[in-house]
Amino acid sequence: MAYTKSPRPYDREYRKQKERDEREERNERQRARRAMDKKGKDANKNGKADKLSIMDSAWRADLFSFAMHRSVDIAYGAPAKRRKIISGDADYIIINYDGVEIVADDIAAGGFDLIIVDEATHYKNAQTKRWKSLYKLLKDDTWLWMMTGTPAAQGPLDAYGLAKLVNPTSVPRFFGSFRDQVMFKVSRFKWEVKDSATETVFNALRPAIRFTKEECLDLPEMVYTKRKVELTPQQKKYYKELKNKMVMQAAGEEVTAVNAAVNMNKLLQISAGAVYTDKGDALEFDIKNRYKVLMESIQEASGKVLVFVPFKHAIGILSEKLTSDGVTNAVIQGSVPVNRRTEIFKAFQEQPDPRVLVIQPAAASHGVTLTAANMVVWWAPTSSLETYSQANARVHRTGQKNKCTVVQLHGSPVEQHVYGLLDARIDVHTKMIDLYNELLD
């Protein structure tokens, strides 16, 4: 693990991260409820906790590949249906993260002796309901395996929630005490990472086994390339107007990380082709230049293509243009039902069409294998280093036989800066105010 030593307002940032995590939980619970009418845990008996969108397409297939003599079931749907599945005879029960809370009593009584959590960083915050629901299920004789390639992606504090689950005695009882172990206070709202933080986190997250991708897999090369896109006159006009407004705002008041994030997000939206107004309406921009470079990339690809688009409205615009130009494509975003996502992933991997997947990064950045593609195009950058790394890894995993290419489309200074941080493996949230000030100079 490596950490940047740039100052970060951790007291306020932790509260903001908690709010983001809780908001993500609420959104996932809402999606789960919507999916119930349409259509866990892993051991001997086993329970596997995971995200709804990949339970069937990823984990059922993976379990069959090495344990085909074991039975597998997925706990989804209405609570009564989940309870029946959990109390059934399957050796492996798979359930999404927030489904655990719904049937926690049934899981506790279900005789599970091993819990496996995929993408364990979803449990990094010990203050969330999701974390507390899992914690209550852990008894002295319960085995817990937590799997992640990025246990502290955004900084050493991310390790606290994981350590409290796996080995509670390895960290202090209170978060503030752990923060004092890995950070030192610079000013009232700013903390820096201690030189000893890596060793502290390493010791906290034990026992652990770590294998790098290079040690486990003989994968083809992965190449990263940037492609310059000229902003259209319309985009340049609105980009300049917003930047001038930001300069005036910065001159009149102290800029907080929250204000910086909101303004920079709008600059990114303008660059990507659609910006949301304060009333929630979407203002569309001419994207012909960016679209032209995207089409050139798709035509150059020897296999299928994943296009990651961080902004929801731009996804619709792009998918319509691809369809009108005869490029078969499908959309993966939060509003797509779980069973439909599974169908799309299966068709993408096994059938000639669709050729392109247009994806909202958070909807398919974990757990899904999409090795039918060997090119990833970022229509615009994401601000999350973890999401960026995991999204690229969808093509660069077991089963990939071709050289992979990651293409970063950029046409504005803010995009260049964000990609620069991602390439340096620095989480954008940790440098928000510095990045904001650089853009205004």
Side-chain angles (χ1 to χ4, degrees):
M1 287 171 243
Y3 307 111
T4 58
K5 298 183 68 175
S6 56
R8 177 179 180 179
Y10 268 95
D11 284 334
R12 292 186 297 181
E13 184 62 32
Y14 184 73
R15 289 196 295 271
K16 289 195 297 247
Q17 182 62 51
K18 177 185 175 183
E19 292 171 359
R20 286 196 293 267
D21 289 343
E22 290 178 340
R23 185 165 56 249
E24 178 188 350
E25 285 189 23
R26 288 195 299 271
N27 290 339
E28 286 199 17
R29 282 197 294 270
Q30 290 170 358
R31 288 195 292 269
R33 292 189 189 103
R34 286 195 297 267
M36 281 180 185
D37 295 332
K38 300 176 181 176
K39 167 84 178 186
K41 262 194 141 191
D42 187 348
N44 197 7
K45 236 174 175 182
N46 306 291
K48 167 75 183 62
D50 213 335
K51 292 187 79 171
L52 252 171
S53 59
I54 64 170
M55 290 191 298
D56 192 51
S57 61
W59 272 98
R60 188 192 290 274
D62 285 347
L63 287 168
F64 181 78
S65 69
F66 70 87
M68 65 278 294
H69 60 294
R70 296 296 186 95
S71 55
V72 181
D73 209 342
I74 299 176
Y76 70 99
K81 181 179 179 181
R82 294 181 186 227
R83 294 188 185 100
K84 183 177 180 180
I85 293 170
I86 289 169
S87 62
D89 297 327
D91 298 313
Y92 290 84
I93 302 295
I94 306 172
I95 190 168
N96 65 306
Y97 303 122
D98 296 310
V100 173
E101 180 185 0
I102 297 173
V103 287
D105 292 341
D106 301 274
I107 294 173
F112 297 97
D113 52 25
L114 169 64
I115 300 175
I116 301 176
V117 180
D118 192 19
E119 304 300 347
T121 51
H122 287 278
Y123 288 88
K124 65 187 177 185
N125 191 330
Q127 297 301 313
T128 62
K129 290 182 179 179
R130 175 186 293 166
W131 189 94
K132 293 174 182 177
S133 296
L134 177 59
Y135 182 75
K136 291 177 182 178
L137 294 174
L138 302 178
K139 309 301 179 184
D140 291 341
D141 58 350
T142 304
W143 289 81
L144 176 65
W145 295 350
M146 304 196 81
M147 304 190 299
T148 176
T150 53
Q154 298 181 25
L157 297 182
D158 286 356
Y160 181 72
L162 304 187
K164 282 213 67 164
L165 290 169
V166 175
N167 185 8
T169 60
S170 68
V171 291
R173 180 180 178 185
F174 300 108
F175 172 80
S177 300
F178 181 73
R179 180 194 58 202
D180 292 339
Q181 289 183 354
V182 296
M183 313 287 294
F184 64 89
K185 197 169 186 177
V186 177
S187 62
R188 183 181 178 187
F189 296 116
K190 290 188 177 181
W191 296 70
E192 287 190 356
V193 179
K194 289 184 177 180
D195 292 336
S196 59
T198 298
E199 183 178 358
T200 301
V201 169
F202 176 80
N203 290 329
L205 294 177
R206 299 177 71 181
I209 301 173
R210 179 178 183 267
F211 297 103
T212 64
K213 185 186 293 184
E214 290 73 20
E215 290 173 325
C216 299
L217 305 172
D218 184 15
L219 290 174
E221 182 184 8
M222 192 163 194
V223 178
Y224 292 78
T225 181
K226 292 177 170 60
R227 298 204 174 181
K228 175 73 175 177
V229 177
E230 185 75 16
L231 295 182
T232 62
Q234 182 194 31
Q235 288 174 304
K236 289 179 180 178
K237 174 187 174 183
Y238 280 90
Y239 188 97
K240 183 177 180 180
E241 288 180 1
L242 180 56
K243 183 178 176 181
N244 291 339
K245 180 181 176 181
M246 290 163 58
V247 171
M248 289 187 291
Q249 183 184 55
E253 60 182 66
E254 180 183 357
V255 177
T256 66
V258 174
N259 290 338
V262 169
N263 287 330
M264 285 200 304
N265 205 43
K266 286 191 178 296
L267 288 178
L268 288 170
Q269 289 172 10
I270 292 172
S271 306
V275 65
Y276 295 99
T277 67
D278 294 336
K279 295 182 180 180
D281 299 324
L283 178 62
E284 297 182 10
F285 295 94
D286 182 4
I287 59 169
K288 62 183 179 184
N289 293 345
R290 187 170 298 244
Y291 181 73
K292 178 182 178 182
V293 177
L294 170 66
M295 286 297 292
E296 291 172 353
S297 300
I298 292 173
Q299 291 165 3
E300 293 170 7
S302 59
K304 294 188 175 185
V305 180
L306 307 183
V307 182
F308 285 104
V309 185
F311 306 113
K312 183 177 179 181
H313 196 77
I315 291 175
I317 298 173
L318 183 55
S319 178
E320 289 178 7
K321 287 187 71 66
L322 288 170
T323 300
S324 66
D325 286 339
V327 179
T328 57
N329 69 94
V331 170
I332 297 292
Q333 58 184 353
S335 60
V336 178
V338 177
N339 57 344
R340 178 57 184 153
R341 292 192 206 187
T342 302
E343 292 171 0
I344 292 172
F345 291 145
K346 182 177 177 61
F348 186 79
Q349 283 290 94
E350 300 176 1
Q351 304 297 328
D353 295 317
R355 170 93 195 283
V356 174
L357 288 186
V358 182
I359 304 174
Q360 189 175 19
S365 61
H366 291 81
V368 182
T369 296
L370 298 172
T371 49
N374 67 334
M375 176 178 284
V376 173
V377 180
W378 285 90
W379 180 259
T382 176
S383 59
S384 169
L385 174 60
E386 180 184 358
T387 297
Y388 178 75
S389 301
Q390 291 285 350
N392 292 336
R394 296 314 95 211
V395 302
H396 200 235
R397 55 195 294 133
T398 303
Q400 183 58 262
K401 296 179 174 59
N402 301 306
K403 183 177 78 172
C404 299
T405 303
V406 176
V407 180
Q408 302 170 345
L409 303 185
H410 67 91
S412 62
V414 66
E415 291 179 307
Q416 289 178 283
H417 280 75
V418 172
Y419 280 132
L421 291 175
L422 294 174
D423 290 342
R425 299 196 61 78
I426 300 173
D427 195 83
V428 178
H429 294 115
T430 69
K431 300 280 287 181
M432 190 62 71
I433 294 179
D434 292 344
L435 177 57
Y436 187 87
N437 291 330
E438 288 176 16
L439 290 171
L440 300 188
D441 288 341

